[in-house]
Amino acid sequence: MSLYLLACLLGIVAGLRTMTAPAVVSWAAYLGLINVADTSLSFIGSAIAAWIFTFLALGELVADQLPSTPSRKVPYQFGGRLVSGAFCGAVVGIGAGQLAGGIVAGLIGAVIGTLGGAAFRAKLAAAFGRDWPAALIEDAIAIGGAILAVVVLA
C-alpha cells in the first residue's frame, strides 16, 4: 500500500512542479532510500542523474516565476507532468516488482497535482492579490511534500 501511496504523492508533486519529483526521487535512489539496483531504471540512482535533475528542478522554479510561462494545463505542460509522474511512479514500483502499478499511481497523482495545484494556486493568488506569493507557497509544498513522502514512505 505505501508503494502506491508514495507513487501517487510523487505524482502529485510532479503535477505541481514537473522536475522536482524526479530530482527528489533521484536523490532518494542515490541515497538508497528507493531500491533501483539491478533494474532498467538504475541510472536514476547515480550522482550525475541526481545533479542533472536538481539543476532542471531549480531552473523550473525560476521559470515558473516568469509571466511568459504557460499554464500547466496546456497540453505540452500537462503532458510533461504526466510523464514525470509516471516516471517517478515507475522508479518507486520497479524495485518492488510493481512497475505497472507504480506508473498508474504516479499518473493519477500527476493529474490530481496538475488540476488541484492550479486551482489551489489560483485561490491563493486571488487571496494575496498577486501570483508571486502563491507560487512560492506552491514551491515549498512541492519540495517539502516530495522530501517528506520519500523519507516517511520509502
Side-chain angles (χ1 to χ4, degrees):
M1 176 63 172
S2 67
L3 175 140
Y4 298 117
L5 181 59
L6 176 58
C8 186
L9 290 174
L10 290 169
I12 290 170
V13 170
L16 299 176
R17 295 289 176 271
T18 310
M19 290 292 128
T20 297
V24 171
V25 166
S26 187
W27 280 107
Y30 176 71
L31 296 171
L33 298 173
I34 296 175
N35 181 18
V36 291
D38 301 322
T39 70
S40 59
L41 296 177
S42 63
F43 72 91
I44 195 75
S46 70
I48 193 159
W51 283 110
I52 289 170
F53 280 115
T54 299
F55 177 74
L56 292 171
L58 291 173
E60 181 184 29
L61 292 175
V62 171
D64 183 62
Q65 307 302 318
L66 303 174
S68 61
T69 301
S71 166
R72 73 184 80 199
K73 295 187 285 184
V74 299
Y76 182 73
Q77 297 284 341
F78 201 139
R81 291 164 195 270
L82 293 177
V83 168
S84 178
F87 175 72
C88 291
V91 171
V92 170
I94 198 166
Q98 297 294 323
L99 179 63
I103 291 171
V104 170
L107 276 170
I108 291 169
V111 171
I112 293 167
T114 301
L115 300 177
F120 177 71
R121 181 164 166 179
K123 287 182 192 251
L124 277 178
F128 285 116
R130 57 189 190 143
D131 186 61
W132 187 69
L136 293 178
I137 290 170
E138 187 179 18
D139 291 344
I141 290 170
I143 295 166
I147 292 170
L148 184 65
V150 167
V151 169
V152 171
L153 295 174

